[in-house]
Amino acid sequence: QLQKDLEEVKKLLTNATRKRVRDVLVAEKQKLELEIKNQPPPKPKDVAEEEKSSLGGYTVKINNYGWDQSDKFVKIYISLNGVQKLPAENVQVNFTERSFDLLVKNLNGKNYTMTFNNLLKSISVEGSSRKIKTDMVLVMCKKKREEKWDCLTQVEKESKEKEKAAYDTTDPSEGLMNILKKMYAEGDDEMKRTINKAWVESREKQYKGDIPMDI
């Protein structure tokens, strides 16, 4: 913008005939030249921003996957139609000791991402890799220790333990009650009506003495 102003001033200076006007234009010219000289050099584009702008399309978060394991690896299978047709550099996986994230660029005009944080156990970054197969990306996480994983992430493990604790009780009727509460909370109107009806009938039988009070 300053460069354009300077060019404009130079043109006016060429056509100016009156001394006062020329003096004003010369002063303005010098001022602009000084401003241009003192301007900071243009900053290089941030690498992440540059990559972002080169992605194009829009980004889809991958939620569906399958997984299994061997003694040495945890394997995550991600289905993506036509992924084998992409250049290899368009399928990137970054590993850390307890996480990985997958980025698939420009597959049918879309980008796909998947992130796993807080993996259940540590993995070897150097030993982990990805393979591109027909309509599928296979992420291979190399286990640091050859032991069985019950699930993929710490969050999944905690969730399973909480659920187990809710039903693991020495009192069978309490465990049954927890299951009924969960069914009631997650069920539709029909399920809630059925549970309510069963509950009312159970209480009526208790009062009549047909069944023991502790059930």
Side-chain angles (χ1 to χ4, degrees):
Q1 197 65 39
L2 288 172
Q3 192 64 44
K4 286 182 180 178
D5 289 345
L6 180 61
E7 286 168 13
E8 188 72 22
V9 167
K10 282 180 179 176
K11 279 182 190 175
L12 292 170
L13 194 55
T14 307
N15 298 324
T17 54
R18 299 183 66 80
K19 184 178 183 302
R20 190 171 175 183
V21 175
R22 284 182 65 83
D23 286 347
V24 170
L25 289 170
V26 167
E28 185 63 25
K29 174 175 171 283
Q30 288 170 345
K31 184 183 164 191
L32 284 167
E33 284 172 343
L34 190 63
E35 277 189 54
I36 289 168
K37 187 181 176 184
N38 292 333
Q39 260 192 324
K43 288 182 182 178
K45 239 185 175 187
D46 183 77
V47 177
E49 281 297 314
E50 203 166 271
E51 190 173 282
K52 207 173 178 184
S53 63
S54 71
L55 284 177
Y58 63 93
T59 300
V60 179
K61 193 173 178 183
I62 303 167
N63 292 313
N64 295 325
Y65 63 91
W67 76 284
D68 67 9
Q69 61 186 308
S70 62
D71 290 339
K72 294 183 179 179
F73 287 93
V74 170
K75 305 169 190 177
I76 298 94
Y77 301 88
I78 300 113
S79 295
L80 287 168
N81 285 336
V83 70
Q84 73 278 7
K85 296 173 187 172
L86 289 176
E89 61 268 20
N90 280 32
V91 182
Q92 302 169 359
V93 183
N94 293 314
F95 297 95
T96 74
E97 195 172 87
R98 290 290 296 277
S99 74
F100 74 83
D101 62 84
L102 164 73
L103 171 63
V104 178
K105 295 193 283 186
N106 199 21
L107 175 60
N108 302 321
K110 298 175 191 172
N111 310 302
Y112 293 84
T113 64
M114 171 181 262
T115 301
F116 271 95
N117 292 316
N118 295 317
L119 289 169
L120 185 66
K121 299 178 189 292
S122 297
I123 62 172
S124 161
V125 175
E126 301 77 22
S128 299
S129 61
R130 61 102 179 99
K131 292 182 180 178
I132 302 168
K133 298 178 173 288
T134 304
D135 299 332
M136 181 185 289
V137 176
L138 170 58
V139 178
M140 308 267 294
C141 296
K142 175 82 182 292
K143 295 177 179 178
K144 272 214 165 170
R145 293 175 62 188
E146 293 183 16
E147 55 188 331
K148 188 184 175 188
W149 289 26
D150 296 324
C151 44
L152 271 179
T153 65
Q154 191 64 34
V155 174
E156 280 179 59
K157 183 187 177 187
E158 287 167 8
S159 175
K160 279 184 180 179
E161 282 174 353
K162 278 181 189 172
E163 199 166 301
K164 189 181 176 191
Y167 305 136
D168 247 4
T169 171
T170 51
D171 185 347
S173 62
E174 190 184 331
L176 179 62
M177 188 55 63
N178 286 334
I179 292 169
L180 285 172
K181 280 179 185 172
K182 188 171 189 289
M183 287 170 66
Y184 189 87
E186 296 175 358
D188 55 18
D189 291 343
E190 185 63 37
M191 174 66 75
K192 286 176 180 175
R193 276 196 294 272
T194 304
I195 291 171
N196 277 331
K197 186 181 174 190
W199 175 252
V200 170
E201 288 175 357
S202 169
R203 301 307 290 176
E204 284 175 353
K205 283 180 182 178
Q206 276 187 29
Y207 292 132
K208 287 177 185 174
D210 291 345
I211 55 175
M213 287 297 286
D214 63 342
I215 293 180

